[in-house]
Amino acid sequence: MNLSISFKAEIVENTAITPDIFKLTLRPLDSFSEPLPGQFFMLSVSESHDPLLKRPFSIFNFKDRELQFLYRIRGRGTRLLSEKKQGQRISLTGPFGKSYPQPDKSTQEVWIVTGGLGIASLNFMINRLTGEGQRLKVLYGARTGPELRILEDIRVKEILIATEDGTEGFTGTVLDLFNSYSMNLQPSSLIYACGPQAVLSFIDQKAQERGIKAYLSLEERMACGFGVCLGCVIKTKEGYKRVCKEGPVFREGEVIW
Amino acid sequence: MNLSVMIGPLKLRNPVITASGTSGYGEELSQYFDLSLLGAITMKGISLKPMEGNPPPRLWETPCGLLNSIGLQNVGLERFLREKLPFVRRFALPVIANILGNSLDEYMELAESLDGEVEAIELNISCPNVKKGGIFFGTDRSAVAELVSAVKKTLKKSLLITKLSPQADIKEFSKIAEDSGSDAISLINTIAGMAVDIETRRPVFKNIIAGLSGPAIKPIALRMVWEAVSTVKIPVIGIGGIMTAEDALEFLITGATAIEAGTANFIDPLSSIKIIDGIKQYMNRNGISDIRQIIGSIRL
Ligand SMILES: Cc1cc2nc3c(=O)[nH]c(=O)nc-3n(C[C@H](O)[C@H](O)[C@H](O)COP(=O)(O)OP(=O)(O)OC[C@H]3O[C@@H](n4cnc5c(N)ncnc54)[C@H](O)[C@@H]3O)c2cc1C
Ligand SMILES: Cc1cc2nc3c(=O)[nH]c(=O)nc-3n(C[C@H](O)[C@H](O)[C@H](O)COP(=O)(O)O)c2cc1C
Ligand code: FES
C-alpha cells in the first residue's frame, strides 16, 4: 500500500473567484497516485457522517505535487467545502476514472467545447496539449461577463467566448457559438467537451453527423467513485455503464441520451 | 493475538467481511489493498440470468445515510462462474456468494451451481429493490422455511448463511432460519425507505421505495442483532452502518461472531482494513489476546 487511494491533504488556499465559484488548492500529506487529465477525486466535505458521501471533483490542475480544484456552490456539501480555511485538512479518495485520451497523429486541430465549471475538467488537458504544441481552439460559454474570471489561469492562444447576457464576446450559449463556427470543423479535428447534458448530447449529435471524433466528459451522482456501488450508471449502446469507471469520458455515439 | 473466528466449520482470519453490493466481485478493491487481509468477501447479489438493474437515479443521500435503488444489476450466474469467480479466487480468502432468485427453483439452481465453488452462500431473501422475489420471501414464514431447508439439502460443501430482512420480525425469522438448517444468519439488509422531490412532487426513485443503509440504520441493526443472538445458537453476522472499528466492536460485544461493512467501502475503499486495525488496537489497549473474549461479552 505505498501509493494510497485514500489520503489526507492540507488546504493551501480556498478562495472565492466569484461569489459562488471557488478555487481550492490541496497539498497531499500522504503518498498518492498522480492523476491524469480528466480524472477526478472524491473530497470529504465534513469530518462527521453528515453529509455522508464524498463529492466528486475534476482535477483542475496538478503542479508541484499540489492538487487544484475549481468548484461552484451547488448544495450543502459544496457550501461546507467553501467554508473550509487554509491549514485545515480534508480526506480524499482517488484519482478515479478514465482520463481524456491523447489525440492521435491524424488530428490536425483540437476543439475544446465547454462552459461554466466544465473548464475544471478540461484545463489540465489543455495545459498538457499546449505543452505538447498541439493546435487548439477553446469555445467557452458563461452566463455573464464576471464569471469569465475563472479563465484567469487558463493559457491558450485561441479562445472564443460567449455570454448568455451578451456582456462579453458572442451573445448566446456555447452551443450557439459552436454552431456559428462549426463549418470550420474538419474530419481531422478532434473535440473534447465537458458541460451540462444538453451541451454534450448536442456536441455528440453534431460530431456523429460530421464524422468527427469527440470525447465527452459526463457527470452523474456518485457514492463510491470507483465502481463498486453501481449507482452512477448511464445508458449506452452496450447497456448501463458506470460513469466513474468506464467514464467519465465517453466517445461520440456511445451514450443514449 | 487471535482475531480468527469460526462461522460454523468455516474459519475466518478476522471477523471483518465486506457486504454484498458494496465490494463488487473484488476486482476494484483488489487494486487498492491485498484482499486476503479480509475475513471474507461477499460478492454482489447473483441471479440466474443477468440483470440490467433499475434506471437512474439510483442513489439519494439522506442525513447520515444513503438510499439506493440499484435493482440488483449483475452479470448472472454463468458469467459469474466463468469470469468473476476465477478472479477473486486468486486471493487467499473465503468467498461468499450472495444469491437472489424469483422462485424456489431459481434459488435451487443457483445453490447447486455454486456449491463447492464458494465457501459460503448468503441467501438474499430481503432486497427491497426488485419487484419480484426478495422481499416477499423474506417476510413469508412458510416460504422462508421451505426455501432455507431446500437450499440446505442441496448444499454438500458450501455453508449456508440466511440474510434476514429488517422488514420481518427478527426473533421469529432467525428461529425459522435456524430450525430450517441454516448454518448462520446475517443481518440486516437495507431498510425500505423513500424520498420525494418537492419541486416535481414525484418520488425520487422510479420504484418509489429504495433501501436505506449507512450510519443512520446502525442502532436499528444493532437492536436486531441483539434480538437474533438472544434467540438462536447459530453464528450471527452483524451488518448495518458499520463505518469504524468502534461500530464493529459494538456488534461483536453484542454477540455477532463477525460483521459485514457495506456503505463504509464507498466512503473509503480501505475502511475494512482500517476496521481490522482498529479492532487490533482496541485489543492491545485492553490487554485482550483473543477476539472470542469480546464476542458476546456484553454486560447486562
Ligand atoms: C466526475 C465528476 C466531476 C465533477 N467535477 C466538478 C468540478 O470540477 N467542479 C464542480 O464544481 N463540480 C464538479 N462536479 C459536480 C459536483 O460533484 C457536485 O456539484 C457536488 O457533488 C454537489 O454537492 P452538494 O452537496 O453541494 O450538492 P447537493 O446538495 O448534493 O446537490 C445540489 C445540486 O447539485 C446537483 N448535483 C449533485 N451532485 C451532482 C453531480 N455529481 N453531478 C451533477 N450535478 C449534481 C443536484 O442535482 C442538485 O441540483 C463533478 C461531478 C462529477 C460526477
Ligand atoms: C448500493 C448497495 C447495493 C447492495 N446490494 C446488495 C445485494 O446485491 N445483495 C444483498 O444482499 N445486499 C445488498 N446490499 C445491502 C448491504 O449488503 C448491507 O446489508 C446494507 O447496506 C447495510 O449495511 P451498511 O449500512 O454497512 O451499508 C446493498 C447495499 C447497497 C448500499
Ligand atoms: S459511483 Fe459507485 S459505481 Fe460509480
Side-chain angles (χ1 to χ4, degrees), chain A:
Chain A
M1 240 186 292
N2 294 331
L3 296 178
S4 184
I5 201 66
S6 160
F7 59 97
K8 282 198 169 20
E10 187 179 289
I11 298 177
V12 178
E13 90 171 311
N14 188 20
T15 45
I17 298 179
T18 75
D20 68 343
I21 298 175
F22 283 69
K23 189 160 85 182
L24 172 68
T25 308
L26 299 178
R27 183 183 305 122
L29 299 170
D30 312 302
S31 66
F32 65 105
S33 307
E34 292 197 1
L36 296 166
Q39 289 191 302
F40 64 93
F41 285 91
M42 303 287 287
L43 270 60
S44 67
V45 292
S46 157
E47 290 308 306
S48 76
H49 291 322
D50 186 32
L52 181 62
L53 302 172
K54 291 190 166 77
R55 303 295 197 255
F57 296 99
S58 307
I59 301 134
F60 178 65
N61 215 352
F62 176 61
K63 217 175 51 195
D64 307 326
R65 300 200 63 73
E66 288 187 345
L67 298 165
Q68 214 164 60
F69 303 89
L70 196 67
Y71 65 93
R72 190 195 292 274
I73 298 178
R74 292 285 291 273
R76 182 148 168 260
T78 40
R79 172 153 316 274
L80 285 169
L81 188 60
S82 74
E83 288 162 3
K84 294 203 183 279
K85 301 276 176 292
Q86 186 185 349
Q88 277 184 286
R89 291 174 178 197
I90 66 173
S91 309
L92 288 83
T93 52
F96 295 133
K98 293 244 160 73
S99 58
Y100 290 110
Q102 286 285 113
D104 55 33
K105 289 201 186 66
S106 63
T107 304
Q108 303 253 311
E109 187 185 46
V110 166
W111 282 39
I112 308 275
V113 184
T114 186
L117 267 291
I119 196 72
S121 145
L122 281 159
N123 177 57
F124 190 8
M125 189 63 189
I126 293 174
N127 289 344
R128 181 152 298 186
L129 292 172
T130 311
E132 287 161 3
Q134 175 71 51
R135 250 188 80 198
L136 64 92
K137 192 198 295 280
V138 178
L139 277 66
Y140 185 84
R143 287 181 223 161
T144 174
E147 284 199 352
L148 296 170
R149 242 175 278 156
I150 72 175
L151 298 178
E152 268 168 16
D153 286 350
I154 293 164
R155 267 162 272 282
V156 274
K157 285 201 198 102
E158 207 175 339
I159 181 158
L160 303 167
I161 304 257
T163 54
E164 285 172 38
D165 64 1
T167 41
E168 241 174 276
F170 184 95
T171 304
T173 67
V174 69
L175 295 183
D176 301 325
L177 181 67
F178 179 85
N179 271 339
S180 68
Y181 278 89
S182 60
M183 65 275 190
N184 299 329
L185 274 170
Q186 304 296 324
S188 58
S189 304
L190 170 64
I191 302 172
Y192 293 92
C194 180
Q197 190 162 316
V199 171
L200 298 179
S201 58
F202 181 89
I203 298 293
D204 189 10
Q205 189 197 332
K206 292 288 162 194
Q208 287 182 71
E209 276 169 27
R210 304 277 302 272
I212 294 166
K213 207 195 243 183
Y215 294 116
L216 314 165
S217 180
L218 273 68
E219 284 187 9
E220 214 7 283
R221 285 186 165 269
M222 291 182 176
C224 69
F226 63 99
V228 292
C229 75
L230 305 179
C232 65
V233 299
I234 46 139
K235 199 144 209 150
T236 72
K237 292 196 176 137
E238 294 162 34
Y240 285 127
K241 284 193 178 171
R242 298 166 293 185
V243 170
C244 71
K245 192 80 187 172
E246 283 81 40
V249 180
F250 291 88
R251 275 290 301 270
E252 85 284 356
E254 220 182 329
V255 176
I256 299 170
W257 302 99

